[in-house]
Amino acid sequence: MAKAIRINKTGGPEVMEYVDVEVGDPGPGEVRIRHAAVGLNFIDVYFRSGLYPQPLPAGLGQEAAGTIEAVGPGVTDFKAGDRVAYAGRPNGAYAEERVMPADILVKLPDSIGFDTAAAMMLQGMTVQYLLRQTYQVKAGDTILFHAAAGGIGLIACQWARALGVNLIGTVSSDEKAALAKQHGAAHVINYKTENFVERVKEITAGRGVPVVYDSIGKDTFIGSLDCLRPRGMMVSFGNASGPVAPFGVSELASRGSLFLTRPSLGNYVATRADLDATAGDLFAMVESKKIGIEINQRYALKDVGQAHADLEARKTTGSTILMP
């Protein structure tokens, strides 16, 4: 038996239960992994609340790092004792141990610790595909990135700086503004005290930006569109303030023939080649010290309810991990 978090219904943090589960042996194409650290991400809130549906009862969590204890039939790329990390479905990372598909695992370089890996896989690979694939930023670009002091945001600030990109970051407090600036944001806007659309126009001399990365959703979506230059790209990759309301596609035409995409990590790492390339790019940036992973909160797995409450209240910065 092992401890894990399970939900029998959707709702607030209180629906998460810390229970004993039978782990079992891995089947074909599967491994059993003992987690050393588990990542906390806003997508976990979406599944817990029911915004993203899944069959119940269910586990939560999409990111962790640990050691393989056993492999099932047909698994040839991994063996017992391998240090590994992962990010992606199926849910169930909130656990001491789990049996899971081997095809979403990557081997962890010796230079990267379990805590760092658990804090960076989902967020770091998300930044990789956003900046290097969804819209390929280049040196000299000025871009807008919302929630710049969060886990994804702080990685994006550093990655943008390494690429010579001027990142305009939005935050919700002066403390978070200082943190984003420290990590490489060229400009920071506190949207609690400033109008981010007006400030972006000031910073860009009225031209707007070629791309906006928006994980906030409902509260910032239309304003984000207004920050784009003609034929700019709106990248909506999260819903922290709630889902974006339906709108007419003519809104894109009236603002200058804009592009809109709603990407998710799974589509960018769907093949082994894509997964290895995306993770490898992230590992290289971390190993070269161009990106540092800020683990600013740690909670025991049993205290995951408090971790979710703090995340939703925007009391966290950088990355958060759960300790099994």
Side-chain angles (χ1 to χ4, degrees):
M1 303 292 285
K3 291 292 188 181
I5 300 297
R6 291 289 184 268
I7 61 171
N8 292 291
K9 60 182 180 180
T10 57
E14 71 281 354
V15 303
M16 294 183 290
E17 300 179 23
Y18 186 61
V19 298
D20 290 313
V21 297
E22 187 72 44
V23 179
D25 295 320
E30 295 181 332
V31 302
R32 187 174 73 244
I33 179 173
R34 174 171 290 278
H35 290 149
V38 176
L40 177 74
N41 296 282
F42 221 100
I43 194 172
D44 305 341
V45 173
Y46 301 156
F47 280 105
R48 189 211 72 216
S49 68
L51 177 63
Y52 290 178
Q54 65 175 333
L56 298 175
L60 291 173
Q62 298 196 4
E63 176 181 43
T67 304
I68 292 177
E69 295 199 317
V71 301
V75 175
T76 58
D77 293 336
F78 301 95
K79 65 182 185 303
D82 281 349
R83 301 172 70 252
V84 293
Y86 65 89
R89 299 180 73 173
N91 283 329
Y94 290 5
E96 292 176 333
E97 295 181 58
R98 71 181 294 199
V99 169
M100 61 179 296
D103 59 8
I104 69 168
L105 293 173
V106 293
K107 290 182 181 178
L108 195 59
D110 291 339
S111 60
I112 297 177
F114 288 129
D115 289 9
T116 297
M120 78 178 191
M121 290 302 295
L122 192 148
Q123 296 170 348
M125 290 198 297
T126 295
V127 173
Q128 196 282 340
Y129 85 71
L130 289 174
L131 298 185
R132 309 306 292 146
Q133 300 185 65
T134 304
Y135 181 93
Q136 295 185 18
V137 299
K138 60 184 184 299
D141 280 347
T142 297
I143 67 175
L144 177 61
F145 207 104
H146 288 293
I152 289 176
L154 290 185
I155 295 172
C157 287
Q158 296 173 81
W159 210 315
R161 177 173 58 187
L163 294 171
V165 171
N166 301 308
L167 183 145
I168 305 171
T170 69
V171 296
S172 60
S173 71
D174 291 341
E175 292 77 16
K176 290 183 176 182
L179 194 60
K181 194 82 171 178
Q182 175 188 338
H183 284 77
H187 307 274
V188 184
I189 301 167
N190 183 342
Y191 61 79
K192 296 288 189 182
T193 59
E194 301 176 279
N195 182 304
F196 75 84
V197 178
E198 293 178 358
R199 285 287 292 123
V200 168
K201 292 297 176 65
E202 290 175 10
I203 293 167
T204 62
R207 292 186 298 272
V209 295
V211 62
V212 176
Y213 297 101
D214 190 338
S215 62
I216 304 299
K218 176 173 65 70
D219 290 351
T220 53
F221 183 79
I222 296 299
S224 293
L225 294 180
D226 290 336
C227 290
L228 286 164
R229 66 178 57 169
R231 293 188 293 169
M233 171 75 78
M234 172 65 183
V235 184
S236 175
F237 69 101
N239 315 282
S241 66
V244 174
F247 73 102
V249 294
S250 61
E251 297 285 347
L252 303 176
S254 66
R255 288 172 169 81
S257 300
L258 303 180
F259 295 88
L260 168 64
T261 185
R262 179 59 173 87
S264 64
L265 176 62
N267 297 122
Y268 283 84
V269 294
T271 68
R272 169 54 63 182
D274 287 341
L275 174 59
D276 286 343
T278 302
D281 197 8
L282 172 62
F283 292 158
M285 294 295 287
V286 173
E287 289 180 303
S288 69
K289 309 299 184 185
K290 293 177 181 177
I291 290 176
I293 305 301
E294 297 282 338
I295 304 174
N296 293 338
Q297 299 80 213
R298 297 170 187 261
Y299 300 83
L301 180 60
K302 65 182 178 62
D303 296 328
V304 68
Q306 186 61 55
H308 272 231
D310 290 347
L311 181 65
E312 290 182 276
R314 301 188 184 181
K315 292 181 179 179
T316 64
T317 59
S319 299
T320 301
I321 59 173
L322 307 172
M323 307 307 297

